[in-house]
């Protein structure tokens, strides 16, 4: 089984939108390791233990890059400058798609790395994570029918990405939980039946 290294970076939303790439690589039969330079260290927990990912590196790069048939620097363009020098002269690095594709369709940008390796499915996989209700979630009252809303994003320039309709959406759901940080959700007026796990 050929091994590939996928380098992901940036915020949790960017990591979630990159999951179709990881799924495509699994479908192609690759053993996929992930180098993760996320804004939050705990982001690694989203990928750990998933069948699509063999190993997650969060502190350093793998010691022997030659073990990988392909290296995919699937990093958003706005983070690329801080990592680009690390890939000069490294064999097996897959060419990055045009930056413009990231801004047109971020999911297609990530899947373009798999397409460069021969991924032929006409429809890209949907973004998803290996998260499901389990006994650990029982104390929170989370079931298969619970819709979890994560309405936040980073502050500053990124706050322009906030979708303004999360509170309205929550009003239409009977079993809803809200997650994030206090800064994430400070602009929303959620209904009283929405359980808040903000900051937890």
């Amino acid at each position: 089984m050929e091994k590939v290294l996928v380098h992901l970076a940036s915020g949790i939303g960017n990591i979630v939108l990159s999951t179709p790439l990881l799924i495509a690589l699994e479908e192609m039969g690759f053993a996929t390791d992930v180098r993760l330079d996320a804004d939050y260290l705990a982001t690694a927990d989203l990928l750990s233990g998933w069948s699509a990912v063999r190993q997650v590196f969060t502190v350093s790069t793998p010691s022997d890059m030659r073990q990988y048939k392909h290296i995919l620097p699937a990093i958003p363009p706005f983070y690329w400058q801080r990592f680009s020098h690390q890939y000069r002269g490294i064999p097996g690095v897959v060419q990055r798609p045009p930056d413009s594709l990231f801004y047109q369709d971020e999911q297609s940008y990530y899947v373009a790395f798999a397409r460069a390796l021969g991924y032929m499915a006409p429809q890209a996989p949907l973004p998803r994570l290996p998260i499901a209700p389990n006994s650990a979630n029982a104390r929170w009252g989370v079931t298969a029918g619970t819709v979890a809303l994560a309405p936040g994003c980073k502050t500053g320039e990124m706050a322009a990405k906030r979708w303004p309709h999360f509170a309205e959406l929550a009003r239409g759901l009977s079993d809803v939980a809200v997650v994030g940080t206090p800064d994430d959700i400070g602009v929303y007026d959620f209904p009283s039946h929405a359980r808040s796990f903000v900051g937890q």
Side-chain angles (χ1 to χ4, degrees), residues 20 24 27 107 111 115 119-126:
E27 290 175 3
Q107 291 174 51
V111 173
R115 297 217 184 276
Y119 185 67
M120 301 296 288
Q123 190 84 12
L126 294 173

Side-chain angles (χ1 to χ4, degrees), residues 3 5 10 21 31 57 87 101 103 106 125 132 159-160 180 189 191 196:
K3 292 195 283 188
L5 178 67
S10 194
L21 166 59
F57 298 93
Y87 289 96
L101 179 58
Y103 296 107
E106 186 173 350
D189 182 24
S196 175

Side-chain angles (χ1 to χ4, degrees), residues 67-173:
Q67 67 180 299
Y68 297 105
K69 174 82 172 175
H70 305 287
I71 300 170
L72 288 63
I75 300 168
F78 53 86
Y79 268 42
W80 178 236
Q81 187 173 5
R82 61 177 91 167
F83 298 109
S84 61
H85 67 281
Q86 297 174 14
Y87 289 96
R88 291 189 193 111
I90 302 290
V93 175
V94 174
Q95 184 173 343
R96 290 167 49 83
D99 289 353
S100 59
L101 179 58
F102 179 88
Y103 296 107
Q104 292 168 358
D105 183 343
E106 186 173 350
Q107 291 174 51
S108 292
Y109 171 83
Y110 292 118
V111 173
F113 286 94
R115 297 217 184 276
L117 299 181
Y119 185 67
M120 301 296 288
Q123 190 84 12
L126 294 173
R128 61 183 180 268
L129 291 167
I131 299 170
N134 59 36
S135 57
N137 293 334
R139 67 183 176 138
W140 303 99
V142 175
T143 70
T146 303
V147 176
L149 300 180
C153 65
K154 294 183 285 259
T155 58
E157 182 180 324
M158 293 297 188
K161 293 171 34 175
R162 287 188 172 130
W163 188 55
H165 306 290
F166 277 109
E168 181 182 344
L169 176 60
R171 282 191 270 288
L173 300 168

